[in-house]
Amino acid sequence: MNDNLHQLRCFGCGARIAGAEAQPDFRCAVCGDLFEVEYPGWNQRRGPDRPNAGALKWLWRERRCSAEALDHSGVWRFRELLPILDSFGNAVTLREGNTPLYHLTRASKALGIDQLFAKHQGMNPTGSFKDTGMTAAMSVAKERGFEWVACASTGNTSAAMAAYAARAGLRSLVLIPEGKIAWGKLSQAMDYGAVTCQLKADFDGCLRLLTQIVKEAPIYLLNSVNPYRLEGQKTPAFEIAEAFDWNVPDHLIVPGGNLGNSSALGKGFREMKELGLIARMPRISVIQAAGANPLVRSFATNHGSSLEPVEAHTRATAIRIGNPASWRKAVRVIQDTGGLCLDVTEAEISIAKAELGSEGLGCEPASAVTLAGLKKMRANGDVAPGETVVLVLTGHTLKDADYTIDFHRGTLLNPEETSGLESKIEGLRRNAVSVEATPEAVLAALKGSA
Ligand code: F0G
């Protein structure tokens, strides 16, 4: 199956354009909505002309042992399902993807769900799921001859973009909200040589400004409004299906910020089903922070038919987004799969993060919303004990070490936020202690922690 032909289809009005005809802001010229990549060749491959699912599955697995650099990427390993380049030789890769799927032994016991797993996308080269999308869209930027690329970011997109731009030999521009991104992420953009502008604006303001800039200068926009980003970000769906021997889990739980990731994973599962690689879609649920929950509000007030932007506040800075660009796509994924959309408090996020940490699985606060959301769903009876559940952990714990240290020191949350949860939080805190440099003092500290 090598239908190396794609086009862009407007998610709003259905208008179709060639890939290279997209406006610099990736908005439809007719209705202003976003595009999705579509492969017209696939529609002609129905019935006996369908790709041989068994052969594809075999090929993708074989590539894991291949000597070919492209095959070492967990994104390009599946390149038959993302033929977006004229030549795969233009792919810019850091060997992203192929991330681990861990069984959560303690959380599964505590929640009474035996089959509970975490797909850790923080184990990508720059420490977040953004790498899978960036390899795809950066490759397009390179193939189309751009010299500059840019993004607005809460931190992870900029880290990924800066790294992949450096690999591709392109220059990169980063717009970030001043004082509102974690240091680990800011340091990455600097390290990889981006021009980093800190603006007195929130993420939504940064993205608005960048949308104007790309209309005035030949700079390629790499936010998730760029539909090629989502083509890369759909591939963890393939990895998850493969890990379960193509029997998909019952339920996938994803954090929601700008809502590109949930949209991409939904597209990945939908395409696998259309191509006969899997028999059904998992439910896909999206969890937001309570202070940055425009999609939750949209479902609560009008079943996802319109969205009112909010002013976003959460310490999970990665998802501090009030006006998510891909909300319509995410609504479709949630509705098509029977998923849920709910929010969790700052205290619930911090507890879930510490619980994951105590299983040896560090992650960003934004990733921990998934476990916090699952706990809520279990309590409400929305997830049955027999379900197979996968949490998508989106970022590495070292991205935001300040958050973790503040939690363990007891300085993260205020009393209003912790009210009723004090003992739970106390039980999870493991602050570093100052101890005299003698064996007796260290052994006494051990006893004290028992
Ligand atoms: N988790 C992490 C760690 C993130 O960095 C993001 C988004 C999300 C979840 C939400 O994903 O936006 O696709 O719904 N970070 C973006 C950034 C916005 O600029 O790095 P989403």
Side-chain angles (χ1 to χ4, degrees):
M1 190 170 87
N2 191 16
D3 308 283
N4 198 9
L5 250 191
H6 76 274
Q7 62 192 16
L8 303 183
R9 180 178 181 278
C10 173
F11 195 79
C13 70
R16 290 187 165 88
I17 61 170
E21 281 169 16
Q23 302 191 131
D25 64 354
F26 292 104
R27 292 275 171 187
C28 173
V30 181
C31 74
D33 210 332
L34 298 176
F35 286 98
E36 266 193 333
V37 178
E38 178 180 80
Y39 305 99
W42 294 4
N43 292 334
Q44 288 141 30
R45 290 172 158 265
R46 298 266 181 241
D49 273 348
R50 257 187 173 184
N52 182 332
L56 281 175
K57 292 172 186 176
W58 180 86
L59 176 67
W60 294 335
R61 200 175 286 267
E62 280 300 292
R63 282 184 180 149
R64 301 191 81 146
C65 313
S66 150
E68 185 76 30
L70 206 57
D71 294 341
H72 295 175
S73 160
V75 172
W76 299 107
R77 187 159 73 84
F78 300 101
R79 54 192 173 270
E80 286 72 19
L81 297 198
L82 58 155
I84 53 176
L85 298 175
D86 291 338
S87 163
F88 286 120
N90 289 322
V92 184
T93 171
L94 281 166
R95 302 194 182 182
E96 52 290 318
N98 293 325
T99 53
L101 182 79
Y102 299 113
H103 185 223
L104 291 173
T105 40
R106 289 191 205 171
S108 59
K109 230 182 234 140
L111 287 168
I113 309 172
D114 185 41
Q115 298 299 311
L116 174 59
F117 299 86
K119 173 72 173 164
H120 206 328
Q121 293 296 95
M123 300 301 192
N124 270 296
T126 78
S128 87
F129 73 101
K130 304 286 182 179
D131 293 345
T132 56
M134 208 47 81
T135 183
M138 189 67 73
S139 304
V140 173
K142 184 181 164 200
E143 186 166 272
R144 298 205 181 147
F146 281 88
E147 287 173 16
W148 277 90
V149 293
C151 71
S153 182
T154 58
N156 281 325
T157 302
S158 50
M161 182 189 73
Y164 282 84
R167 295 300 293 176
L170 308 186
R171 302 295 313 280
S172 64
L173 167 69
V174 165
L175 301 191
I176 48 171
E178 187 163 25
K180 299 287 187 226
I181 81 167
W183 290 119
K185 304 174 188 181
L186 180 61
S187 72
Q188 286 180 292
M190 294 173 175
D191 207 19
Y192 304 134
V195 175
T196 304
C197 300
Q198 307 193 70
L199 307 182
K200 293 203 180 343
D202 58 9
F203 168 82
D204 305 294
C206 291
L207 186 54
R208 249 193 327 271
L209 188 73
L210 188 57
T211 303
Q212 290 169 15
I213 292 169
V214 295
K215 287 179 187 161
E216 289 171 25
I219 303 175
Y220 194 66
L221 180 62
L222 281 174
N223 278 96
S224 56
V225 293
N226 179 322
Y228 300 110
R229 279 269 314 276
L230 303 199
E231 290 307 286
Q233 282 177 214
K234 76 185 181 186
T235 58
F238 309 157
E239 287 186 5
I240 291 168
E242 185 184 54
F244 286 96
D245 208 11
W246 307 98
N247 297 308
V248 295
D250 299 302
H251 202 154
L252 194 73
I253 305 183
V254 191
N258 215 20
L259 298 172
N261 203 31
S262 37
S263 307
L265 293 168
K267 186 174 194 281
F269 281 108
R270 192 183 321 122
E271 289 179 353
M272 277 191 285
K273 181 157 179 287
E274 281 166 12
L275 292 168
L277 290 156
I278 56 173
R280 64 181 173 91
M281 306 247 313
R283 277 161 89 195
I284 299 181
S285 292
V286 174
I287 317 296
Q288 298 195 297
N293 64 352
L295 191 68
V296 175
R297 288 168 189 245
S298 160
F299 272 102
T301 52
N302 56 58
H303 306 289
S305 62
S306 69
L307 179 136
E308 270 308 306
V310 303
E311 199 186 298
H313 297 282
T314 170
R315 294 181 186 83
T317 50
I319 50 173
R320 192 172 177 274
I321 294 175
N323 189 16
S326 295
W327 70 272
R328 279 187 209 281
K329 292 182 183 178
V331 165
R332 178 168 126 192
V333 169
I334 293 167
Q335 286 177 340
D336 283 0
T337 65
L340 297 171
C341 181
L342 45 97
D343 58 9
V344 289
T345 66
E346 295 292 296
E348 288 167 340
I349 296 171
S350 71
I351 291 170
K353 179 173 145 44
E355 287 171 342
L356 286 163
S358 71
E359 292 216 30
L361 294 182
C363 66
E364 274 197 50
S367 309
V369 300
T370 53
L371 178 60
L374 173 62
K375 285 158 81 175
K376 219 165 164 178
M377 285 189 243
R378 272 295 283 152
N380 294 342
D382 291 323
V383 172
E387 282 187 42
T388 301
V389 181
V390 175
L391 309 179
V392 179
L393 303 184
T394 43
H396 199 280
T397 185
L398 294 177
K399 290 274 191 174
D400 192 354
D402 285 345
Y403 181 101
T404 311
I405 290 172
D406 287 346
F407 175 82
H408 290 286
R409 283 189 178 150
T411 54
L412 183 74
L413 302 161
N414 61 45
E416 208 178 292
E417 291 170 314
T418 53
S419 171
L421 295 166
E422 292 87 351
S423 63
K424 180 89 202 162
I425 290 173
E426 267 322 293
L428 285 162
R429 279 182 51 215
R430 294 285 180 273
N431 196 12
V433 285
S434 291
V435 174
E436 235 180 278
T438 64
E440 297 76 25
V442 174
L443 289 171
L446 267 190
K447 273 198 193 127
S449 76

